[in-house]
């Protein structure tokens, strides 16, 4: 089954995890996965270090998901430092493991880089290459409700998203966003720009103060007043912060679902306990399953 087929039938529900470093065992993440399977994700996506650092663990993990037969693995993949030949070899490897869903990304430049240092400069070129050479893949691309931080304007960024659609992308996975008014405006704008791809909305749980601020700022994302107040009020007390952050995340999940998305994608940060608590408190999995 393809993720796009699932999205045509119902709202999709999925998780993102990141693989361990090369020298660390895979086992803890496999256990995390067992806990996450309880929520019957339609797919689990696995991040990919730009430049291919740690790519082996990404492959091993996607393979483990595939072999479990419990859900669809979606690998992330970036252009950074990659030649056409290398990309071909990597994609063949995924396909040999029956991993045929990919989030095609340019990737962030490693420190000191100002370009991809590979054969492709932008994600749309990677999408086109995959479509031409490996049409078996279902291809997701990144979307930025608050615009990508390097784009000169939201309109320019949406135009680039349109190019990714025209190159053959199948669905959009969105960057973290806490500003739901902006998210709804972006949805409207991309539809007006002729982008009809299904939207899989990424939800970043609010669990700890510094990473929450760091991730928002590094992506050029807004911290709305409600979240800023939460940080101001509970920032010095990690336990209270996490409790309030989880409640905030539950509200956020419902705002996304009510915005008319096609899929809900939880960035788990590999923290299955926290994610489980959020899902239990929200009851969202049952609601999505029953189509309420
Ligand atoms: P592009 O679509 O190529 O866009 C990059 C910038 O260039 C944008 O500003 C865009 O407006 C502009 N642009 C696009 N096309 C053109 C063009 N033809 N001419 C001029 N400008 C253009 N990174 C990782 O390294 N590993 C991961 O696993 C990972 N997972 C992610 C998951 C999600 C859901 C998201 C949203 C992002 C993820 N990222 C990951 C981050 C991503 O790699 C960065 O945001 C990166 O900076 C941009 O990647 P992109 O594919 O959106 O690039």
């Amino acid at each position: 089954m393809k993720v796009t087929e699932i999205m045509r039938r119902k709202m999709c529900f999925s998780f993102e995890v990141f693989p361990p470093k090369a020298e660390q065992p895979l086992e803890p993440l496999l256990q995390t996965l067992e806990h996450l399977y309880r929520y019957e994700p339609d797919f689990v996506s696995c991040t990919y270090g730009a430049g291919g650092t740690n790519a082996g663990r990404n492959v091993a993990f996607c393979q483990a998901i595939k072999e479990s037969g419990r859900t669809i693995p979606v690998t992330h993949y970036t252009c950074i430092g990659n030649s056409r030949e290398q990309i071909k070899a990597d994609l063949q490897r995924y396909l040999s493991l029956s991993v045929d869903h990919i989030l095609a990304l340019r990737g962030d430049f490693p420190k000191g880089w100002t370009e991809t240092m590979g054969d492709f400069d932008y994600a749309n070129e990677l999408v086109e290459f995959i479509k031409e050479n490996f049409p078996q893949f279902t291809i997701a691309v990144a979307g930025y409700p608050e615009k990508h931080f390097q784009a000169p304007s939201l309109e320019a960024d949406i135009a680039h998203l349109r190019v990714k659609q025209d190159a053959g992308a199948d669905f959009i996975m969105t960057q973290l966003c806490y500003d739901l008014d902006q998210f709804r405006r972006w949805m409207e704008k991309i539809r007006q720009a002729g982008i009809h791809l299904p939207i899989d909305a990424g939800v970043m749980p609010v669990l700890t103060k510094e990473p929450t601020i760091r991730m928002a700022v590094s992506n050029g994302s807004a911290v709305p007043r409600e979240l800023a107040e939460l940080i101001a009020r509970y920032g010095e007390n990690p336990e209270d912060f996490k409790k309030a952050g989880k409640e905030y995340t539950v509200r956020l999940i419902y705002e996304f679902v009510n915005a008319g998305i096609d899929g809900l994608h939880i960035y788990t940060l590999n923290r299955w306990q926290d994610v489980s608590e959020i899902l239990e408190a929200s009851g969202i999995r049952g609601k999505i399953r029953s189509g309420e």
Side-chain angles (χ1 to χ4, degrees):
M1 171 88 68
K2 286 176 181 288
V3 164
T4 41
E5 277 171 42
I6 295 170
M7 285 174 170
R8 266 195 292 275
R9 291 180 194 183
K10 59 176 185 123
M11 188 178 293
C12 188
F13 178 79
S14 58
F15 294 120
E16 175 188 289
V17 297
F18 59 86
K21 293 203 168 68
E23 66 280 4
Q24 287 170 357
L26 205 56
E27 198 50 42
L29 187 54
L30 294 175
Q31 282 163 17
T32 293
L33 202 56
E34 283 300 319
H35 291 287
L36 295 175
Y37 280 156
R38 198 170 143 225
Y39 298 98
E40 299 178 2
D42 293 307
F43 73 86
V44 172
S45 84
C46 180
T47 63
Y48 182 95
T53 50
N54 211 22
R57 304 326 291 285
N58 159 291
V59 174
F61 190 62
C62 287
Q63 181 177 10
I65 298 174
K66 186 72 200 178
E67 285 172 357
S68 77
R70 308 276 295 270
T71 191
I72 299 169
V74 175
T75 186
H76 299 200
Y77 189 80
T78 76
C79 302
I80 301 287
N82 272 330
S83 65
R84 281 185 177 78
E85 285 317 302
Q86 184 60 50
I87 295 171
K88 251 189 186 166
D90 289 345
L91 299 188
Q92 261 152 1
R93 189 162 173 218
Y94 285 119
L95 286 180
S96 73
L97 301 168
S98 300
V99 174
D100 59 3
H101 283 66
I102 189 166
L103 170 58
L105 299 158
R106 183 198 69 182
D108 278 324
F109 300 141
K111 221 174 173 185
W113 293 31
T114 53
E115 51 172 283
T116 61
M117 311 281 268
D119 280 344
F120 300 135
D121 293 328
Y122 297 107
N124 65 285
E125 298 164 48
L126 177 61
V127 174
E128 203 177 317
F129 181 81
I130 299 172
K131 211 67 198 170
E132 262 175 39
N133 295 282
F134 302 99
Q136 307 93 308
F137 275 104
T138 297
I139 307 171
V141 289
Y144 301 86
E146 297 173 90
K147 98 173 178 64
H148 183 260
F149 69 96
Q150 289 171 318
S153 67
L154 187 63
E155 285 66 31
D157 201 37
I158 290 174
H160 294 141
L161 182 57
R162 172 70 199 252
V163 176
K164 293 196 267 193
Q165 169 176 286
D166 294 348
D170 295 298
F171 69 103
I172 299 167
M173 295 175 72
T174 63
Q175 184 57 285
L176 72 89
C177 174
Y178 295 115
D179 182 349
L180 264 289
D181 288 336
Q182 175 56 28
F183 186 85
R184 285 182 283 265
R185 276 195 295 274
W186 172 80
M187 281 183 78
E188 233 179 272
K189 279 176 183 282
I190 67 165
R191 297 310 185 211
Q192 282 163 5
I195 298 171
H196 53 70
L197 296 178
I199 298 170
D200 195 38
V203 179
M204 181 63 77
V206 173
L207 299 172
T208 40
K209 176 183 158 186
E210 273 78 19
T212 297
I213 299 171
R214 196 174 53 243
M215 284 186 282
V217 169
S218 65
N219 285 307
S221 297
V223 175
R225 183 185 303 168
E226 190 187 351
L227 180 55
E229 276 182 9
L230 191 154
I231 292 167
R233 193 173 299 166
Y234 303 110
E236 300 313 312
N237 184 330
E239 252 178 58
D240 289 352
F241 184 91
K242 193 185 265 193
K243 184 171 177 292
K246 285 178 181 169
E247 289 165 4
Y248 178 84
T249 308
V250 170
R251 289 195 292 282
L252 199 63
I253 284 174
Y254 277 97
E255 285 210 55
F256 274 114
V257 169
N258 292 332
I261 54 174
D262 302 283
L264 185 71
H265 187 61
I266 312 285
Y267 297 124
T268 70
L269 305 162
N270 293 0
R271 300 169 75 145
W272 68 265
Q273 284 113 325
D274 292 323
V275 167
S276 297
E277 279 177 37
I278 289 167
L279 293 176
E280 295 299 333
S282 69
I284 193 68
R285 188 63 189 108
K287 286 204 164 74
I288 289 180
R289 203 182 282 116
S290 66
E292 262 179 56

